[in-house]
Amino acid sequence: MKLTEHLENSKDTLFSMEILPPLKGQGVESIYKTIDELKEFNPAFIDVTYHREEYTFKKHPNGLLEKRSTKKRPGTVGICAAIKYKYDIEAIPHLICGGFTKEETENALIDLNFLGIDNVLALRGDPIKTERAFTPEPDGHNYTTDLIKQIVDMNNGVYMDEELSNPISSDFCIGVAGYPEKHFEAPNMKSDLKYLKKKIEEGADYIVTQMFFNNKHYFDFVKLCRDEGITVPIIPGLKTITTKSQLNVLPRFFHLEIPEELSDEIEKCKTKEEVNAVGVEWGVQQAKELIEFGVPCLHYYTMGRAKTTKKILEQIF
Ligand code: FAD
């Protein structure tokens, strides 16, 4: 089912989550464990992230370094299919521009269509760790707007090879990312919103936000979007703080603010359990306020840690 239909059909606030494929060589059981812990809350959908290649260097006995390209977390499409058919829950693969030629994107979309996957989250992807700026494949997409065009083309039965006879149309519902605290490369919020609007005009159906810890960022963002004429659902992305180190790691990786009140409380904690308790308490307050505001769904970045998310959901639903 299309996610937008699911949202339209529900009067209550829904719950959803994002998971990461396991590291290469690990089994799918860790994913099932996370889902098993949270499935009593009826996830409306489960997003599965996509991780592009990384470069590693292997030192040979002669001192020479060999550069190797490897995908450390492959399996996004397989995991989506496994979730969909094991749990009958909508699984949504993240599809990125980085590392894909247009033809590889087309083939990935064909696979997803054959598997009965109805939704995709279209993203550009970050630069690879050894790159300063995002570089697309020579025949790949530069921005998510271009990727959306290709998905919409396939939804209209338009493939790269114009000579295919009677090609079938897909019917993907398309999600995109939104940034309540602005995307780190955008010169200002106005510019970021202009391109967010372009993603919707190209055919995106809903927005999932980057995580935030201060609801005011989300409320302001929704208002700015609505003022710009962006009318699609805006699903808030949420994460629970579980370690002290996240106070520095999360702002560095995700370009977000951690409110003073929250960081002060975390700093005071002496044990991991105390940190978890503060994170959960903050998460409960955030969720309650967001439900009161009327959000369609609470989307949790579980990152494989279901326990704290569960503690929040037990107090919310
Ligand atoms: P875009 O929408 O293409 O925007 C990128 C930047 O370019 C922005 O600053 C925007 O303002 C600007 N811009 C956009 N369009 C244009 C245009 N046409 N012309 C000029 N400027 C433009 N990354 C992964 O690698 N794998 C994942 O699974 C993943 N999942 C994510 C899930 C969510 C909910 C979020 C919020 C992010 C996720 N990311 C993931 C990270 C994401 O790929 C990065 O934040 C990336 O830097 C931007 O992706 P985007 O789709 O927002 O890019």
Side-chain angles (χ1 to χ4, degrees):
M1 188 197 256
K2 289 188 176 194
L3 176 59
T4 43
E5 286 169 20
H6 207 118
L7 298 179
E8 275 159 26
N9 294 344
S10 174
K11 287 192 208 93
D12 301 322
T13 310
L14 298 168
F15 147 70
S16 61
M17 61 174 136
E18 178 187 284
I19 56 167
L20 279 64
L23 284 166
K24 190 182 271 183
Q26 302 298 304
V28 73
E29 292 74 24
S30 62
I31 302 287
Y32 294 156
K33 192 166 169 272
T34 302
I35 299 172
D36 288 339
E37 280 192 66
L38 297 173
K39 68 173 192 258
E40 66 185 277
F41 303 101
N42 297 321
F45 66 97
I46 299 177
D47 267 19
V48 184
T49 53
Y50 188 91
H51 299 259
R52 63 176 301 186
E53 72 280 12
E54 290 176 32
Y55 290 114
T56 54
F57 292 89
K58 184 174 161 57
K59 195 168 186 183
H60 287 285
N62 62 4
L64 287 179
L65 286 177
E66 185 192 343
K67 189 178 177 187
R68 289 179 174 178
S69 164
T70 178
K71 279 189 184 155
K72 293 192 174 169
R73 292 182 185 271
T76 301
V77 173
I79 290 171
C80 284
I83 292 173
K84 185 175 168 72
Y85 293 105
K86 181 174 164 68
Y87 293 97
D88 194 19
I89 297 173
E90 268 330 306
I92 306 188
H94 291 190
L95 190 61
I96 64 171
C97 304
F100 281 79
T101 64
K102 288 177 192 151
E103 193 185 0
E104 285 163 347
T105 298
E106 184 169 275
N107 292 340
L109 289 168
I110 290 170
D111 277 345
L112 295 173
N113 200 28
F114 287 165
L115 285 167
I117 304 276
D118 296 326
N119 306 277
V120 289
L121 189 74
L123 299 147
R124 188 196 68 181
D126 281 326
I128 358 182
K129 282 183 188 142
T130 42
E131 277 179 353
R132 276 176 163 258
F134 175 80
T135 322
E137 291 302 295
D139 182 28
H141 297 302
N142 222 329
Y143 293 108
T144 302
T145 38
D146 306 324
L147 172 58
I148 296 167
K149 272 187 213 152
Q150 186 173 11
I151 305 171
V152 169
D153 272 352
M154 195 182 274
N155 279 351
N156 291 320
V158 177
Y159 288 64
M160 291 177 70
D161 181 352
E162 290 160 7
E163 288 170 14
L164 298 178
S165 64
N166 297 323
I168 58 150
S169 302
S170 55
D171 191 17
F172 290 111
C173 173
I174 307 168
V176 289
Y179 302 84
E181 296 173 70
K182 186 181 88 55
H183 183 258
F184 70 102
E185 290 168 24
N188 49 58
M189 192 52 132
K190 190 170 175 223
S191 159
D192 210 18
L193 282 170
K194 177 174 93 180
Y195 291 118
L196 178 58
K197 188 168 184 199
K198 202 161 171 228
K199 291 197 272 194
I200 308 303
E201 286 167 351
E202 291 296 348
D205 301 289
Y206 68 95
I207 296 167
V208 182
T209 78
Q210 183 55 279
M211 63 182 79
F212 55 88
F213 293 91
N214 180 349
N215 284 347
K216 187 172 182 311
H217 292 306
Y218 174 83
F219 300 145
D220 291 349
F221 178 68
V222 171
K223 172 144 189 358
L224 288 170
C225 287
R226 301 306 181 221
D227 289 349
E228 278 296 312
I230 297 171
T231 56
V232 299
I234 303 176
I235 299 172
L238 299 163
K239 155 134 189 68
T240 319
I241 300 251
T242 50
T243 63
K244 266 190 186 181
S245 63
Q246 287 169 346
L247 292 182
N248 303 109
V249 173
L250 297 176
R252 192 163 72 240
F253 280 104
F254 301 109
H255 309 276
L256 48 81
E257 177 228 354
I258 305 224
E260 245 178 77
E261 205 188 327
L262 175 58
S263 63
D264 285 351
E265 284 307 306
I266 300 273
E267 295 283 9
K268 280 187 220 155
C269 295
K270 293 198 174 55
T271 62
K272 195 167 162 26
E273 288 68 36
E274 284 177 19
V275 175
N276 282 348
V278 172
V280 167
E281 195 186 331
W282 189 271
V284 169
Q285 288 316 315
Q286 258 199 294
K288 282 184 176 164
E289 226 179 89
L290 289 164
I291 292 174
E292 179 81 24
F293 182 77
V295 298
C297 185
L298 297 169
H299 183 65
Y300 284 91
Y301 296 107
T302 62
M303 295 180 176
R305 293 191 191 92
K307 279 198 179 68
T308 46
T309 309
K310 185 171 181 178
K311 282 188 184 152
I312 294 175
L313 297 176
E314 279 167 347
Q315 296 182 58
I316 297 299
F317 293 115

